Amino acid sequence: MPSHLMATEGNFFSVPSPVGTNLPPLAVGSAYARRYRKLPGIVAATFGDGGASSTPDFHAAMNFASVYNLPVLFVCENNRWAISLPYEKQSKVEVWKKAEAYGMPGAKVDGNDFIRTYRVCREAVEYVRSGRGGPYLVEAVSYRMGPHSTSDDPSKYRDNAIEEGGSDQDPLVIAEKSLIALGYITKEKSEKLWEEAKKLVDSRFEELEKVPAPQSRGRSSMTSTRR
Ligand SMILES: Cc1ncc(C[n+]2csc(CCOP(=O)(O)OP(=O)(O)O)c2C)c(N)n1
Ligand SMILES: [Mg+2]
């Protein structure tokens, strides 16, 4: 599927489609394996509110990681919707608070704010790396402005998505404003970056539009494969 990308050279493992299944075996399991093999480093696992925090796998993973003091950073992107189901109908408790039940630290951050998220995650990574107490859970609060997928139509189950999320809550807009305010970039530099990024995306888009569609294997090859 288009979102199932891997980059083994950077130790980046794809998200699996059955939601939540990345947590116990892939995140916690590989953290256990790293320690067993005396490898350095930690495991970071990201997941959605509905995708994973509502599955039994989430609880099993938190418990196992905590009991075994494993180096895992759990990051839940809570964008308040699991396709058409609002978070209030998934759980009565905020995600980050569930950390306490498993004896690990938890923190909530405005996930639309890149700088705040970076700071909170850096602290969490330092904690996990130090090996003091095992895992850490971060809840990055956001808002899903668009549909879950191209086959989803949010107008069927919610109104005013943009007003609720607020276009001023766009992470790129917030990051731009903060970086300018903190003096890391100027308005001119930022405009130039937007322009360059747009050019890059447009040219890659044009290039990829020319790639031919994948060929169907056709009836005869299917038959021969089965035989
Ligand atoms: C184990 C499992 N159960 C059910 C589904 C069907 N399913 C696909 S996406 C989804 C909810 C995803 O929620 P979230 O991660 O919050 O995604 P968002 O709507 O924010 O894009 C569900 C239940 C699935 N993929 N895997
Ligand atoms: Mg969601």
Side-chain angles (χ1 to χ4, degrees), residues 17-19 48-51 79 81-83 144 148:
S17 264
V19 295
D49 54 297
N79 61 14
W81 291 89
I83 312 183
R144 204 191 67 211
H148 165 79

Side-chain angles (χ1 to χ4, degrees), residues 8-147:
T8 43
E9 66 280 13
N11 286 340
F12 180 82
F13 202 91
S14 165
V15 292
S17 264
V19 295
T21 53
N22 58 332
L23 300 179
L26 302 183
V28 179
S30 56
Y32 193 94
R34 289 194 88 76
R35 196 169 63 191
Y36 184 77
R37 292 179 175 167
K38 301 193 171 30
L39 295 170
I42 71 165
V43 176
T46 62
F47 50 97
D49 54 297
S53 80
S54 293
T55 65
D57 281 350
F58 167 82
H59 302 280
M62 298 287 134
N63 193 54
F64 200 99
S66 173
V67 165
Y68 285 88
N69 283 325
L70 294 173
V72 188
L73 170 66
F74 294 100
V75 182
C76 178
E77 177 198 344
N78 183 357
N79 61 14
R80 291 168 47 195
W81 291 89
I83 312 183
S84 54
L85 198 72
Y87 188 73
E88 301 71 54
K89 287 196 176 166
Q90 296 178 54
S91 176
K92 282 196 171 179
V93 181
E94 290 178 289
V95 179
W96 72 280
K97 287 189 178 163
K98 297 179 189 190
E100 196 186 343
Y102 298 107
M104 68 172 89
K108 179 167 86 163
V109 64
D110 177 353
N112 287 353
D113 189 323
F114 163 73
I115 293 176
R116 280 174 208 266
T117 304
Y118 173 73
R119 284 182 179 148
V120 167
C121 286
R122 189 175 57 183
E123 204 171 292
V125 164
E126 275 163 14
Y127 175 89
V128 176
R129 257 193 221 292
S130 73
R132 282 201 308 273
Y136 200 115
L137 171 65
V138 172
E139 176 181 3
V141 181
S142 184
Y143 187 80
R144 204 191 67 211
M145 309 265 278

